[in-house]
Amino acid sequence: MPILAARDDNIKKAAKRLKEGDIVIIPTETVYGMAAHAGLDQAVVKIYTTKKRPRFNPLICHVKNLEQAKQIGDFSLTASALAKAFWPGPLTIIVPYNGEDRVALTTRAGLETIAIRVPAHPVVQALFNYIDFPIAAPSANPSGRISPTCPDHVQKAYKDDLFILDGGPCIYGIESTIVDCTGVDPVVLRHGAIAFEDLQAIIPTIQSKSQTDEIKAPGLLKSHYAPSIPLRLTCDHPQKNEALLAFGPNVPTGFAAVFNLSPKGDLTEAASRLFMGLHDLDQPTYAGIAVMSIPDQGLGVAINDRLQRASYDR
Ligand code: TXA
Ligand code: MG
């Protein structure tokens, strides 16, 4: 099936497929998602199978607005304050589940909590006008691989005949920030498109989960986002036939190829181009990918989190 322009007729077809329990690849402002009707076990199972995703790893539910989110989760004052500040947008909020049978156990991987997001992308918002159920959607990459930020990344990653809605390149290009609001103070479980400092401005007591803590988001495995060739961090000297993922104006020479995340050294731009750069340099003709060091502040925290996992020795 070709990649389909996100016209109204194709968005209607996508809605029909979702109702019937089929999967659809959707654009979002963060990364492309592999979507299914969140309430149908047999639909959600197709996501796990296609991505080869471990069944213990729950999926984020996407809904149209906070009102619909409240039909599946209990929102504390803190959770509501975050939702009001950042939705629609790249924030995922984890709350206690209260949706009866609206979200299948397979979607939640059996947990009593639920991760919810209201995406801002106009194509998904248009899709919501034709459906009345939450959409389960993980990032559309095969499990453990680099997340897709354009339709081509998805099409190349699978042999399956996928229904892909083309919403253009993703504006943020990095996944949503995940905040767990089930405890006393909210905790950031995954750094992402919304910087920690921006969350702190709304909820000053918000915590950040350190990487050494016990894994709470079941999907946050040490190895993830992996290219098919080796990747090493904080490099400024090339090894033989190595490609460079660069950052900033001062780029070392001697590499077989260079993809600069942001020649002007802007972390927001770098985050939006991270997966694009990894996909671009992940070619068997190179011996590996070297990455320059990236400041660990603002969106740099989310970038370094992804790169650390991408470099993890498997
Ligand atoms: O930007 C995004 O969030 C993208 C777009 C498509 O929305 N989605 C995405 O989904 O990144 P995924 O499945 O690749 O990552 C979701 C993460 C996983 O690590 C999963 O374990 C965690 O969220 N998660 C989901 N439900 C959870 C829950 N109830 N408690 C803790 N972690 C949860
Ligand atoms: Mg993912």
Side-chain angles (χ1 to χ4, degrees), residues 232-256:
R232 59 187 191 103
L233 302 177
T234 54
C235 308
D236 43 19
H237 292 298
Q239 288 178 357
K240 192 164 179 281
N241 201 26
E242 204 175 31
L244 179 71
L245 192 64
F247 176 78
N250 304 316
V251 179
T253 55
F255 288 90

Side-chain angles (χ1 to χ4, degrees), residues 51 53 139 141 147 175 190 224:
K51 276 177 61 81
R53 181 179 176 106
S139 52
N141 50 291
S147 303
E175 292 90 345
R190 177 177 75 183
H224 204 125

Side-chain angles (χ1 to χ4, degrees), residues 231-309:
L231 181 139
R232 59 187 191 103
L233 302 177
T234 54
C235 308
D236 43 19
H237 292 298
Q239 288 178 357
K240 192 164 179 281
N241 201 26
E242 204 175 31
L244 179 71
L245 192 64
F247 176 78
N250 304 316
V251 179
T253 55
F255 288 90
V258 176
F259 185 102
N260 198 330
L261 292 172
S262 173
K264 60 174 190 266
D266 178 297
L267 287 166
T268 303
E269 181 184 38
S272 74
R273 285 163 51 77
L274 174 67
F275 293 132
M276 195 64 86
L278 286 172
H279 276 285
D280 205 62
L281 298 180
D282 188 10
Q283 310 290 344
T285 44
Y286 305 131
I289 301 173
V291 185
M292 284 174 69
S293 72
I294 291 172
D296 209 30
Q297 67 203 44
L299 291 190
V301 179
I303 298 174
N304 285 325
D305 165 77
R306 306 299 185 279
L307 288 171
Q308 214 110 55
R309 287 180 226 269

Side-chain angles (χ1 to χ4, degrees), residues 26-34 51 53 56-62 90-92 94-95 107-108 111-117 119 137-141 147 174-178 180 189-190 193 216-221 224-225 306:
I26 55 165
T28 83
E29 68 276 27
T30 57
V31 299
Y32 273 74
M34 186 177 285
K51 276 177 61 81
R53 181 179 176 106
F56 60 78
N57 191 359
L59 308 177
I60 297 174
C61 282
H62 299 67
L91 181 72
T92 295
I94 298 178
V95 293
T107 308
R108 295 183 278 132
L111 298 182
E112 285 173 8
T113 58
I114 179 121
I116 311 177
R117 176 158 114 74
S139 52
N141 50 291
S147 303
I174 197 161
E175 292 90 345
S176 62
T177 301
I178 302 183
D180 181 356
L189 297 186
R190 177 177 75 183
K216 184 146 187 224
L220 296 185
L221 307 176
H224 204 125
Y225 310 107
R306 306 299 185 279

